[in-house]
Amino acid sequence: MSRLLPFLAAILFVLAPAHAQYRSTADSIAAAQPAFRASQLIAPGALLASGVAIHCFAHESWDYAVNDAFSRWRGSSGGTEFDDWVQYLPYAADLGLALTGVPARNSFLDRTMECAVSVLALTVITRTMKAVIDSPRPIGDSRSFPSGHTGTVFTGAELVRMEYGWGWGAGAYAVAAAVGVMRMYNGAHWFSDVLAGAGIGILSAHIGRWLLDPAKRLFGIPDTEWGSGRRKDRPAPTAGVVSSVDPYSGALCMGLALRF
């Protein structure tokens, strides 16, 4: 436990220079990818700091109390595998919604790269922390802190929010919260594990966004519109009034023409 705080401080030291500005090309899909903003660290930082504080200083009070409540709720029934599968649902939404016509910020290729970089960042952070921090689970082996399932689903939820806005993002976050609850219900994680996992997941999604343009330049991947859900190849809707003269009565006729 004594190694937890120095390790997290090292992570923040490494991530601090990530504020470099990333330029975009003139024919980019949308506007330039957003540069690092300090406000993007508020939510993940608060969740991660809360998880660390509870795990280090209030483990026996907060974590044990929450675990006891979930144990009473679970009773004699066994756990569920619900969280093992649903954790990937936000990724399917992130990649697939635009293919059904829902407008996304980025193309399918960009979303795929962003997702891959985010998952890579999440994997490196969580696995390193689990290897360094020897924390027993409520039920089972060690490597409890942080929750990998929670980090996975919150990464996907934040990717959905960034691509499609809060309309779809709220649903993705509801799924993420459900997975976090089920990790505690199954006795696989403490409350502090879930809080920290959620913070790391959101942070990992932003890392994927911050590094998208550099990754595209590194591999020489051009911008594309395919799979963005936007139909720019269609002409803009137009309307016009057409006048004519009836050849029999000589009356002036007016008509409305629509093009869409």
Side-chain angles (χ1 to χ4, degrees):
M1 188 69 66
S2 61
R3 290 178 292 178
L4 175 57
L5 294 178
F7 176 77
L8 294 175
I11 290 179
L12 294 177
F13 178 79
V14 171
L15 293 178
H19 61 274
Q21 303 289 320
Y22 302 129
R23 66 174 182 82
S24 63
T25 57
D27 56 350
S28 180
I29 299 172
Q33 295 293 342
F36 172 91
R37 299 191 306 274
S39 60
Q40 295 170 332
L41 296 177
I42 295 176
L47 288 168
L48 181 56
S50 298
V52 171
I54 293 174
H55 202 84
C56 291
F57 307 111
H59 185 58
E60 293 187 359
S61 55
W62 282 66
D63 279 340
Y64 274 71
V66 173
N67 182 65
D68 289 344
F70 275 101
S71 297
R72 291 192 296 270
W73 178 22
R74 185 173 62 248
S76 59
S77 63
T80 174
E81 296 182 354
F82 167 86
D83 44 340
D84 290 335
W85 301 101
V86 179
Q87 62 175 321
Y88 302 112
L89 186 58
Y91 295 94
D94 176 45
L95 297 177
L97 277 175
L99 300 181
T100 67
V102 179
R105 181 183 182 90
N106 292 302
S107 68
F108 180 80
L109 180 59
D110 284 4
R111 295 198 308 277
T112 301
M113 291 195 61
E114 184 178 73
C115 180
V117 174
S118 299
V119 171
L120 177 61
L122 173 72
T123 302
V124 171
I125 295 173
T126 54
R127 290 195 176 183
T128 303
M129 291 182 70
K130 284 177 177 289
V132 171
I133 304 167
D134 184 16
S135 175
R137 299 174 186 267
I139 300 176
D141 59 6
S142 58
R143 299 186 178 182
S144 178
F145 189 90
S147 170
H149 282 63
T150 307
T152 297
V153 72
F154 270 86
T155 299
E158 180 64 7
L159 288 172
V160 171
R161 185 203 66 79
M162 291 191 298
E163 286 294 332
Y164 303 98
W166 272 112
W168 290 97
Y173 266 98
V175 172
V179 170
V181 169
M182 295 312 298
R183 295 308 287 165
M184 293 182 287
Y185 175 85
N186 289 333
H189 284 288
W190 306 99
F191 178 55
S192 58
D193 301 341
V194 171
L195 287 178
I200 294 170
I202 296 173
L203 175 63
S204 298
H206 284 289
I207 292 175
R209 174 61 57 88
W210 298 333
L211 298 182
L212 176 58
D213 278 354
K216 288 173 64 178
R217 291 196 294 269
L218 177 63
F219 295 104
I221 298 176
D223 290 326
T224 177
E225 283 281 354
W226 188 86
S228 65
R230 296 185 298 271
R231 302 293 184 87
K232 291 189 175 181
D233 55 323
R234 292 183 176 181
T238 57
V241 177
V242 179
S243 60
S244 61
V245 178
D246 189 294
Y248 298 101
S249 64
L252 179 64
C253 301
M254 304 292 289
L256 178 64
L258 297 175
R259 180 184 178 185
F260 55 90

